[in-house]
Every structure is written in structure tokens, then in C-alpha cells.
CSV table of all heavy atoms in Angstrom, one decimal:
chain,number,residue,atom,x,y,z
A,1,ALA,N,0.9,-1.2,0.0
A,1,ALA,CA,0.0,0.0,0.0
A,1,ALA,C,0.9,1.2,0.0
A,1,ALA,O,0.6,2.3,-0.7
A,1,ALA,CB,-0.9,0.0,1.2
A,2,ARG,N,1.9,1.2,0.8
A,2,ARG,CA,2.8,2.4,0.9
A,2,ARG,C,3.5,2.7,-0.5
A,2,ARG,O,3.8,3.8,-0.9
A,2,ARG,CB,3.8,2.2,2.0
A,2,ARG,CG,4.8,3.3,2.2
A,2,ARG,CD,5.6,3.2,3.5
A,2,ARG,NE,6.8,3.8,3.4
A,2,ARG,CZ,7.8,3.7,4.4
A,2,ARG,NH1,7.5,3.0,5.4
A,2,ARG,NH2,9.0,4.3,4.3
A,3,LEU,N,3.9,1.6,-1.2
A,3,LEU,CA,4.7,1.7,-2.4
A,3,LEU,C,3.8,1.8,-3.6
A,3,LEU,O,4.3,1.9,-4.8
A,3,LEU,CB,5.6,0.5,-2.6
A,3,LEU,CG,6.7,0.4,-1.5
A,3,LEU,CD1,7.4,-1.0,-1.6
A,3,LEU,CD2,7.8,1.5,-1.8
A,4,TYR,N,2.5,1.7,-3.4
A,4,TYR,CA,1.5,1.8,-4.5
A,4,TYR,C,1.7,0.6,-5.5
A,4,TYR,O,1.7,0.8,-6.7
A,4,TYR,CB,1.5,3.1,-5.2
A,4,TYR,CG,1.2,4.2,-4.3
A,4,TYR,CD1,2.2,5.0,-3.8
A,4,TYR,CD2,-0.1,4.6,-4.0
A,4,TYR,CE1,1.9,6.1,-3.0
A,4,TYR,CE2,-0.4,5.6,-3.2
A,4,TYR,CZ,0.6,6.4,-2.7
A,4,TYR,OH,0.3,7.5,-1.8
A,5,LEU,N,2.0,-0.6,-4.9
A,5,LEU,CA,2.2,-1.8,-5.8
A,5,LEU,C,1.2,-2.9,-5.3
A,5,LEU,O,0.6,-2.7,-4.2
A,5,LEU,CB,3.6,-2.3,-5.5
A,5,LEU,CG,4.8,-1.4,-6.0
A,5,LEU,CD1,6.1,-1.9,-5.6
A,5,LEU,CD2,4.7,-1.2,-7.6
A,6,SER,N,1.1,-3.9,-6.1
A,6,SER,CA,0.3,-5.0,-5.6
A,6,SER,C,1.0,-5.9,-4.6
A,6,SER,O,2.3,-5.9,-4.6
A,6,SER,CB,-0.1,-5.9,-6.8
A,6,SER,OG,1.0,-6.5,-7.4
A,7,GLN,N,0.3,-6.6,-3.8
A,7,GLN,CA,0.9,-7.4,-2.8
A,7,GLN,C,1.7,-8.5,-3.4
A,7,GLN,O,2.9,-8.8,-3.0
A,7,GLN,CB,-0.1,-8.0,-1.9
A,7,GLN,CG,0.4,-8.9,-0.7
A,7,GLN,CD,-0.6,-9.2,0.3
A,7,GLN,OE1,-1.6,-8.5,0.5
A,7,GLN,NE2,-0.4,-10.3,1.0
A,8,PRO,N,1.2,-9.2,-4.5
A,8,PRO,CA,2.1,-10.2,-5.2
A,8,PRO,C,3.4,-9.6,-5.7
A,8,PRO,O,4.4,-10.3,-5.7
A,8,PRO,CB,1.2,-10.7,-6.3
A,8,PRO,CG,-0.2,-10.5,-5.8
A,8,PRO,CD,-0.1,-9.2,-5.1
A,9,ALA,N,3.3,-8.4,-6.2
A,9,ALA,CA,4.6,-7.8,-6.7
A,9,ALA,C,5.6,-7.6,-5.6
A,9,ALA,O,6.8,-7.8,-5.8
A,9,ALA,CB,4.3,-6.5,-7.4
A,10,VAL,N,5.2,-7.1,-4.4
A,10,VAL,CA,6.0,-7.0,-3.3
A,10,VAL,C,6.6,-8.3,-2.8
A,10,VAL,O,7.8,-8.4,-2.5
A,10,VAL,CB,5.3,-6.2,-2.2
A,10,VAL,CG1,6.2,-6.1,-0.9
A,10,VAL,CG2,5.0,-4.8,-2.7
A,11,SER,N,5.7,-9.3,-2.7
A,11,SER,CA,6.2,-10.6,-2.3
A,11,SER,C,7.2,-11.2,-3.3
A,11,SER,O,8.2,-11.8,-2.8
A,11,SER,CB,5.0,-11.6,-2.3
A,11,SER,OG,4.0,-11.2,-1.2
A,12,LEU,N,7.1,-10.9,-4.6
A,12,LEU,CA,8.0,-11.4,-5.5
A,12,LEU,C,9.3,-10.7,-5.4
A,12,LEU,O,10.4,-11.3,-5.5
A,12,LEU,CB,7.4,-11.2,-6.9
A,12,LEU,CG,8.3,-11.6,-8.1
A,12,LEU,CD1,8.7,-13.1,-8.0
A,12,LEU,CD2,7.7,-11.3,-9.4
A,13,SER,N,9.3,-9.4,-5.1
A,13,SER,CA,10.5,-8.6,-4.9
A,13,SER,C,11.3,-9.2,-3.7
A,13,SER,O,12.5,-9.4,-3.7
A,13,SER,CB,10.2,-7.2,-4.7
A,13,SER,OG,9.7,-6.6,-5.8
A,14,LEU,N,10.6,-9.5,-2.6
A,14,LEU,CA,11.3,-10.1,-1.4
A,14,LEU,C,11.8,-11.5,-1.8
A,14,LEU,O,13.0,-11.8,-1.5
A,14,LEU,CB,10.3,-10.3,-0.3
A,14,LEU,CG,10.7,-11.1,1.0
A,14,LEU,CD1,11.9,-10.3,1.6
A,14,LEU,CD2,9.6,-11.2,1.9
A,15,LYS,N,11.1,-12.3,-2.5
A,15,LYS,CA,11.6,-13.6,-2.9
A,15,LYS,C,12.8,-13.5,-3.8
A,15,LYS,O,13.9,-14.2,-3.7
A,15,LYS,CB,10.5,-14.4,-3.7
A,15,LYS,CG,11.0,-15.8,-4.1
A,15,LYS,CD,9.8,-16.5,-4.9
A,15,LYS,CE,10.2,-17.9,-5.4
A,15,LYS,NZ,9.1,-18.5,-6.1
A,16,ARG,N,12.9,-12.6,-4.8
A,16,ARG,CA,14.0,-12.4,-5.7
A,16,ARG,C,15.2,-11.9,-4.9
A,16,ARG,O,16.3,-12.4,-5.2
A,16,ARG,CB,13.6,-11.4,-6.7
A,16,ARG,CG,12.7,-11.8,-7.8
A,16,ARG,CD,12.3,-10.7,-8.7
A,16,ARG,NE,13.5,-10.2,-9.4
A,16,ARG,CZ,13.6,-9.0,-10.0
A,16,ARG,NH1,12.4,-8.2,-10.0
A,16,ARG,NH2,14.6,-8.5,-10.6
A,17,LEU,N,15.1,-11.0,-3.9
A,17,LEU,CA,16.1,-10.5,-3.1
A,17,LEU,C,16.7,-11.7,-2.3
A,17,LEU,O,17.9,-11.9,-2.2
A,17,LEU,CB,15.7,-9.4,-2.2
A,17,LEU,CG,16.8,-8.8,-1.3
A,17,LEU,CD1,17.9,-8.2,-2.2
A,17,LEU,CD2,16.3,-7.8,-0.4
A,18,GLU,N,15.9,-12.5,-1.7
A,18,GLU,CA,16.3,-13.6,-0.9
A,18,GLU,C,17.1,-14.6,-1.8
A,18,GLU,O,18.2,-15.2,-1.4
A,18,GLU,CB,15.2,-14.4,-0.2
A,18,GLU,CG,14.6,-13.5,0.9
A,18,GLU,CD,13.4,-14.1,1.5
A,18,GLU,OE1,12.7,-14.9,0.9
A,18,GLU,OE2,13.2,-13.9,2.8
A,19,GLU,N,16.6,-14.9,-3.0
A,19,GLU,CA,17.3,-15.8,-3.9
A,19,GLU,C,18.6,-15.3,-4.3
A,19,GLU,O,19.6,-16.0,-4.5
A,19,GLU,CB,16.4,-16.1,-5.1
A,19,GLU,CG,15.1,-16.9,-4.8
A,19,GLU,CD,14.2,-17.0,-6.0
A,19,GLU,OE1,14.4,-16.3,-7.0
A,19,GLU,OE2,13.3,-17.9,-5.9
A,20,ARG,N,18.7,-14.0,-4.6
A,20,ARG,CA,19.9,-13.3,-5.1
A,20,ARG,C,21.0,-13.4,-4.0
A,20,ARG,O,22.2,-13.6,-4.3
A,20,ARG,CB,19.6,-11.9,-5.5
A,20,ARG,CG,20.8,-11.3,-6.2
A,20,ARG,CD,21.1,-11.9,-7.5
A,20,ARG,NE,22.3,-11.4,-8.2
A,20,ARG,CZ,23.5,-11.9,-8.0
A,20,ARG,NH1,23.6,-12.9,-7.1
A,20,ARG,NH2,24.6,-11.4,-8.5
A,21,LEU,N,20.6,-13.2,-2.7
A,21,LEU,CA,21.5,-13.2,-1.6
A,21,LEU,C,21.7,-14.6,-1.1
A,21,LEU,O,22.7,-14.8,-0.2
A,21,LEU,CB,21.1,-12.2,-0.5
A,21,LEU,CG,20.9,-10.8,-0.9
A,21,LEU,CD1,20.3,-10.0,0.2
A,21,LEU,CD2,22.3,-10.2,-1.3
A,22,GLY,N,20.9,-15.6,-1.4
A,22,GLY,CA,21.0,-16.9,-0.9
A,22,GLY,C,20.7,-17.0,0.6
A,22,GLY,O,21.3,-17.9,1.4
A,23,GLN,N,19.9,-16.1,1.1
A,23,GLN,CA,19.6,-16.1,2.5
A,23,GLN,C,18.1,-15.8,2.7
A,23,GLN,O,17.5,-15.1,2.0
A,23,GLN,CB,20.4,-15.0,3.3
A,23,GLN,CG,21.9,-15.2,3.3
A,23,GLN,CD,22.3,-16.2,4.4
A,23,GLN,OE1,21.5,-16.6,5.2
A,23,GLN,NE2,23.5,-16.6,4.3
A,24,ARG,N,17.5,-16.5,3.8
A,24,ARG,CA,16.1,-16.2,4.3
A,24,ARG,C,16.2,-14.8,5.0
A,24,ARG,O,16.9,-14.7,6.0
A,24,ARG,CB,15.6,-17.2,5.0
A,24,ARG,CG,14.1,-17.1,5.4
A,24,ARG,CD,13.2,-17.3,4.2
A,24,ARG,NE,11.8,-17.2,4.5
A,24,ARG,CZ,11.1,-18.2,4.8
A,24,ARG,NH1,11.6,-19.5,5.0
A,24,ARG,NH2,9.8,-18.1,5.1
């Protein structure tokens, strides 16, 4: 809501960052 994005888009961003860093 704060970023004016959809919830799936924000969840995907988090997942991509975790995959890129190899950490939860």
C-alpha cells in the first residue's frame, strides 16, 4: 500500500532478493 504496488509484486521482490543473496 505504501509503495502503490500489488501485494504479489512486493512478495515477488522479497523472494527475488532472498534468492539473489542466498539467505532467508
Side-chain angles (χ1 to χ4, degrees):
R2 178 169 155 186
L3 293 168
Y4 299 101
L5 297 172
S6 67
Q7 184 171 334
V10 173
S11 295
L12 179 60
S13 293
L14 174 60
K15 181 180 178 181
R16 288 176 57 198
L17 182 60
E18 290 178 328
E19 290 175 346
R20 188 68 186 87
L21 297 176
Q23 295 282 349
R24 187 70 177 272

